Amino acid sequence: CQIQPKMVENKLKTAIYVRVSTDEQAKEGISISAQIDRCQNYCKARSWKVINIYTDAGYSAGSMKRPAVQQLFQDLRENKFENILVYKFDRFSRNVRDLITFLDNLKAQEVNFTSVTENIDTTTAMGEAFFQMIGVFAQLERGMVKERVKLAFDKKISDGESLSRAPKGYMYNNGKLIVDKKNSNEIKQIFDMRAAGIHYKIISDKFNIPISTLYNIIKNPTYAGKIKYNGEIYEGTHSAIIDPALFNNLNPLQSIKSNTLTDWVS
């Protein structure tokens, strides 16, 4: 008689995620228990091993700040499973950007993602192609975010605005740097003492400021009414605490760039 080959079970370690909001459960009847049953049957038919079931009841899919999702992320980092199964994509997220970013991270960690109703299974060739497309969109999104950040920074520079937190001697008022009279006198004294050749250690002891912090103060062009961005110095719109000539004596500046975007943005 012919011996039948022994079937090898695919014990893919799987995490099941289910979610429902109160409104959805009332309107659509997609209960937590119904989702779990469908997902467990899906795993059973494929001989997948269910490691854990993550349940968010009464939470919107508009944000990833859900208890079960956060626990799933933690277990993902600890490599507790190889596959995530959901009843439907929108159970996990209705924010396309969040979903693309998450799926791209899963691919990097070689973790599969499967949906029961959409018939998306990244353990298959078609599912792998889907993952590849997600990766393309994720890369596009990262590029667009980078462009938006650069445009925002470029706009601030063209308006002469600072890009960082207010240094000692300044404060922000309606998004603009203004001189903090309480601390600006101390900054003036620090520069005057350094210009007179007084050692950093003496200045540090006098104002109880670490030498490393003191060094950064002396090198900060903000005090001369300038802005440093991408290794270049630009004119600011804020008031200078230190005379630019004095600052220049202590720190020979690079040539000042124009604040007009068309003059310097490639």
Side-chain angles (χ1 to χ4, degrees), residues 37-56:
D37 285 346
R38 289 290 300 274
C39 288
Q40 285 181 324
N41 289 334
Y42 195 90
C43 290
K44 185 177 181 180
R46 289 158 179 76
S47 297
W48 291 352
K49 182 179 181 180
V50 177
I51 300 298
N52 199 5
I53 298 175
Y54 300 84
T55 303
D56 276 322

Side-chain angles (χ1 to χ4, degrees), residues 168 186-187 190 200-201 203-215 217:
K168 185 179 179 68
E186 185 174 307
I187 296 297
I190 289 172
Y200 278 104
K201 181 65 169 64
I203 303 174
S204 173
D205 290 342
K206 176 178 174 59
F207 295 103
N208 193 27
I209 297 175
I211 290 180
S212 59
T213 301
L214 189 60
Y215 183 82
I217 289 175

Side-chain angles (χ1 to χ4, degrees), residues 74-91:
Q74 178 61 40
D75 292 347
L76 174 63
R77 288 190 287 269
E78 296 176 6
N79 300 312
K80 291 187 176 181
F81 47 78
E82 307 163 283
N83 182 42
I84 297 174
L85 176 65
V86 296
Y87 171 73
K88 194 176 180 181
F89 266 117
D90 66 6
R91 297 302 88 199

